[in-house]
Amino acid sequence: MDLESFASLFSGSPYKLLQQHRVCVLDALLAVNRQVLCLSAETPTTHSASSWIKERPRQLNGLEQAVIIRLNKPSFTSQPKTLPLDILQNQSHLAQQVFRLSERLAVRSLELPAEMIVPINRLTSQFGKTIYQFRKVITEQDQLQSVVFKKHQRHSLKRLHNSPIEAVERLRLTSQEIRNDVYQFENNIAPVDAALLCLILDDIIDLSFWMETMLEYQKL
């Protein structure tokens, strides 16, 4: 049963709020993707975090508190609390990583040597593809979970999750490879730019971890 259908059975269910929280996180990923794309521009630019993404932490915090309050309310259905709390925690970690990456990207434009153009373009391309596939599988999983034929459901979910997990792993590998490139060309990169780029790459690596963890929870 999908989360929305399950939520409709219980007036005190936290799953509707969890879904709202998740949608906010997915939208924040789109916003940070626009910032990441600026790294590959021919003329180095920065894309400052929009007021929209800056307002998200407060909104997400409100939803988090609402989920916790809902879970703590007495219920005749004895709803399990562990799973929704784990899902909430994972979504919150992912959101925090998005905001941290957004802040890094807004600090300043990076001046990088010509040798870094191709690797950075590869990174921004892979980031965009990963975000697209990640959002797609998260938003479609509810529909697949409502399929009547359970065997078909399991096979569909497996196929649906393999693609984004592989994309997340490629993103992490690409980020790690470019981090090695930074050390290789560090004599041609200003120390402040090298340090900032490494922090951005570390944030993307951490982001990929939380994305992969969230995908694993969607299989449950």
Side-chain angles (χ1 to χ4, degrees), residues 107-167:
V107 170
R108 53 173 282 158
S109 61
L110 298 175
E111 296 184 8
L112 303 175
E115 294 86 351
M116 295 292 296
I117 293 177
V118 172
I120 291 296
N121 286 346
R122 188 170 72 250
L123 172 69
T124 57
S125 175
Q126 184 60 48
F127 192 91
K129 291 176 182 177
T130 302
I131 296 303
Y132 171 77
Q133 293 181 357
F134 178 81
R135 284 173 49 85
K136 187 173 187 292
V137 72
I138 294 298
T139 54
E140 288 182 355
Q141 61 85 25
D142 283 346
Q143 298 175 4
L144 281 176
Q145 286 183 344
S146 64
V147 174
V148 175
F149 300 102
K150 298 302 180 181
K151 183 177 180 180
H152 172 72
Q153 175 188 9
R154 288 195 297 270
H155 290 170
S156 298
L157 284 171
K158 183 177 180 180
R159 288 196 302 270
L160 190 62
H161 282 81
N162 281 344
S163 179
I165 286 180
E166 291 170 359

Side-chain angles (χ1 to χ4, degrees), residues 39 77 155 157 196 201:
L39 289 174
T77 60
H155 290 170
L157 284 171
L196 181 56
L201 293 170

